[in-house]
Amino acid sequence: MDMKEVVYVVSDSVGETAEFVVKAVATQFNGGQVDIRRNSYVEDEEDIEDVILVAKQGRSIIAYTIVVPALKAYLDKRAQEEGIYAVDLLNPLMNAFEKKFNKEPNHRPGMMRKLDDEYFRKIEAIEFAVKYDDGRDPRGILRADIVLVGVSRTSKTPLSMYLAHKRYKVANVPIVPEVKPPDELFQIPRSKCVGLIISPDKLNEIRTERLKALGLGARANYASYERILEELDYAEKIMKRVGCPVINVSNKAIEETAGLILDILKSERSFG
């Protein structure tokens, strides 16, 4: 495709869904070399006229997701008048829903915008979890919705990512006897923090398997009972000092522990 060929993505929301569809189609034509220009939050006829003005200057297509009938009709009318090919990415499927399920669409652009907002909040939360994983930057503790603390191999990272997908910003802090906990940990409300504990037997099993996977000796101090008991004892003291609720993750799936964390935080904030 010539780079002068343009697809104008027009939406009464962010327009990311429409752009994704256009890119998916474009990949079927010489590797997707098409100029995509997004026009988000189109709200009135004037916004549509702005797109029509530039689209009619060259070879172009308008691909749109507009749910307000009057606005859609205006775009269709003006595109036809100017000889511009305009493709409605939503209406065929909305019609199918309406006919097959016998339901009326809301025709509210805010519904689409809400989905976009939720998507971006999830992405932001995932990026937050990565940035503040394993105590990399203690400043994240003060910004987090949830702070997880625990010794190594108590599922802090997978829990952080799971909760991030539910749009919670999570920082996690490893508790190690040789390392002083960050001051920020004692500056946050207890309602934001959850301690993760585990039985010595289960932790020994997990750490031994971890060492094997890394090709290291199973007798390394990391997996020894003496070391594990020392770490768990130290972690318990830190959690008591913070005053945070504690969950035993010994035989729990990530989903179960995450549910308990959210229940605890909801309860703490209700009565805190």
Side-chain angles (χ1 to χ4, degrees):
M1 278 189 179
D2 191 319
M3 285 299 291
K4 292 181 180 179
E5 295 174 344
V6 182
V7 177
Y8 292 92
V9 171
V10 180
S11 176
D12 47 24
S13 189
V14 174
E16 184 170 78
T17 301
E19 183 173 344
F20 180 83
V21 172
V22 170
K23 285 180 177 178
V25 172
T27 57
Q28 302 300 315
F29 298 89
N30 298 329
Q33 294 301 308
V34 61
D35 189 0
I36 300 175
R37 301 179 188 177
R38 192 194 302 185
N39 297 265
S40 304
Y41 302 119
V42 170
E43 297 179 344
D44 51 37
E45 295 178 0
E46 185 177 347
D47 290 336
I48 289 176
E49 284 298 331
D50 291 340
V51 179
I52 294 292
L53 180 64
V54 292
K56 70 180 184 180
Q57 303 300 322
R59 291 199 301 169
S60 61
I61 295 172
I62 294 177
Y64 67 89
T65 53
I66 294 178
V67 298
V68 178
L71 211 54
K72 166 189 160 41
Y74 185 81
L75 175 54
D76 287 339
K77 172 177 171 292
R78 291 293 292 121
Q80 185 175 14
E81 290 174 351
E82 298 294 344
I84 304 167
Y85 205 103
V87 182
D88 185 343
L89 300 178
L90 288 182
N91 205 52
L93 189 56
M94 287 179 67
N95 284 340
F97 268 62
E98 189 173 357
K99 292 176 181 178
K100 190 66 178 179
F101 302 142
N102 196 29
K103 293 182 178 180
E104 287 289 330
N106 291 318
H107 295 302
R108 293 206 306 266
M111 304 300 290
M112 196 72 172
R113 192 172 302 178
K114 181 180 178 182
L115 291 176
D116 288 327
D117 290 343
E118 289 178 353
Y119 172 80
F120 285 116
R121 282 200 298 271
K122 179 165 72 172
I123 295 302
E124 184 180 8
I126 292 171
E127 291 175 346
F128 187 96
V130 172
K131 183 175 182 179
Y132 298 111
D133 181 46
D134 207 31
R136 290 176 185 169
D137 186 344
R139 290 175 297 181
I141 296 172
L142 301 177
R143 297 179 52 211
D145 299 318
I146 303 170
V147 178
L148 303 178
V149 297
V151 300
S152 173
R153 313 315 293 178
T154 48
S155 302
K156 295 187 301 298
T157 296
L159 277 167
S160 296
M161 295 306 299
Y162 184 89
L163 291 166
H165 277 81
K166 293 186 175 294
R167 299 179 295 283
Y168 290 94
K169 293 179 180 179
V170 185
N172 71 76
V173 181
I175 302 299
V176 184
E178 294 78 14
V179 180
K180 179 179 177 290
D183 294 335
E184 289 84 353
L185 187 60
F186 306 102
Q187 296 170 8
I188 60 174
R190 67 187 298 274
S191 61
K192 288 178 60 173
C193 186
V194 174
L196 305 175
I197 61 171
I198 190 170
S199 71
D201 288 343
K202 187 64 177 179
L203 187 55
N204 172 259
E205 177 187 332
I206 293 172
R207 288 189 174 184
T208 299
E209 290 301 316
R210 177 63 174 166
L211 289 173
K212 288 180 181 178
L214 295 173
L216 301 174
R219 294 185 179 181
N221 188 45
Y222 177 70
S224 74
Y225 262 93
E226 183 179 356
R227 173 64 183 183
I228 286 173
L229 291 173
E230 178 188 3
E231 287 189 31
L232 292 175
D233 181 62
Y234 180 71
E236 184 180 353
K237 291 177 181 176
I238 296 300
M239 291 172 195
K240 284 182 177 179
R241 182 180 165 193
V242 173
C244 62
V246 175
I247 296 175
N248 190 321
V249 301
S250 299
N251 296 298
K252 291 182 176 64
I254 296 297
E255 297 84 355
E256 182 183 1
T257 303
L260 289 172
I261 289 171
L262 296 179
D263 287 344
I264 287 173
L265 291 179
K266 183 178 179 181
S267 174
E268 287 286 331
R269 290 167 182 173
S270 295
F271 297 101

